[in-house]
Amino acid sequence: MQIIRATDYYRMSRMAANIISAQVIIKPDCVLGLATGSTPIGTYEQLIRWYDKGDLDFSGVTSINLDEYKGLSPDNDQSYRYFMNEHLFKHINIKPENTYVPNGLEMDSEKACASYNEIIARCGGIDLQLLGLGHNGHIGFNEPGEAFEKETHCVDLAQSTIDANARFFASMDLVPRQAYTMGIKTIMQARKIVVVVSGESKAQIVREAFFGPCTPQVPASVLQLHNNVTLVGDEAALSLIP
Ligand code: GLP
């Protein structure tokens, strides 16, 4: 694993965006695995700035997002499809038909997940997967205890994740309880993985995930077994690592 230390969130975002840009330049028809959450927003902003300058071309790129809430429509402002449109897709020249997010409106979980696995296979797998890190060590929506061998599947969100998400919804009843997520197996099949972490609140889980035992209780710890992982963090998030 490579660790890139940045002094602050802005620089961390630039570093991560640099790695993604390099991927797009080296392989203009690459498949990017993308993530939501607050951490990657700065990375997307930087990619947009470089696109605006004419330094990046996303016309050949395909994107496959990690996860989506089950039951939320693309125009719900809390859906991950909406998030991706707002924070990245509508600002760059990626073809909308080449952007994939699990279908939150498909209530048949097996169907939703099988068709997502097919999409990933049809695209030839993921060249570079961007990941954030949940406070309990989740990646995508693979919560603690999730088996490492799963592909895209439907998960019951951990109470701590539901509580963390509650701030975005008008009432607790509206917070989704389930989500579709790429599984750990899918994530581990990506050829390169970039994890972005920021802030003091992530310091403890960064230490556990990357320097503790590899266990399903800390889903991100499986990344220690991947041969091409880059952890990009700011000082605060990396403050507790040896
Ligand atoms: C959600 C997403 C994850 C993301 C996590 C952390 O749970 N499903 O993919 O990594 O949030 O979010 P944040 O970056 O806001 O801490």
Side-chain angles (χ1 to χ4, degrees), residues 35-40 66-67 69 80 131-135 138-141 143 161 165 167-168 181 196 198 201-202:
T36 54
S38 49
T39 315
L66 279 170
D67 47 9
Y69 292 112
Y80 285 168
L131 294 177
L133 180 64
H135 285 101
H138 73 230
I139 46 177
F141 267 136
E143 298 282 22
T161 303
N165 288 338
R167 64 199 152 112
F168 300 117
T181 184
V196 283
S198 170
S201 72
K202 295 282 169 75

Side-chain angles (χ1 to χ4, degrees), residues 58-63 89 92-100:
F58 292 91
S59 61
V61 171
T62 296
S63 73
F89 299 152
I92 60 174
N93 67 337
I94 193 165
K95 296 191 180 103
E97 64 273 25
N98 290 345
T99 66
Y100 297 98

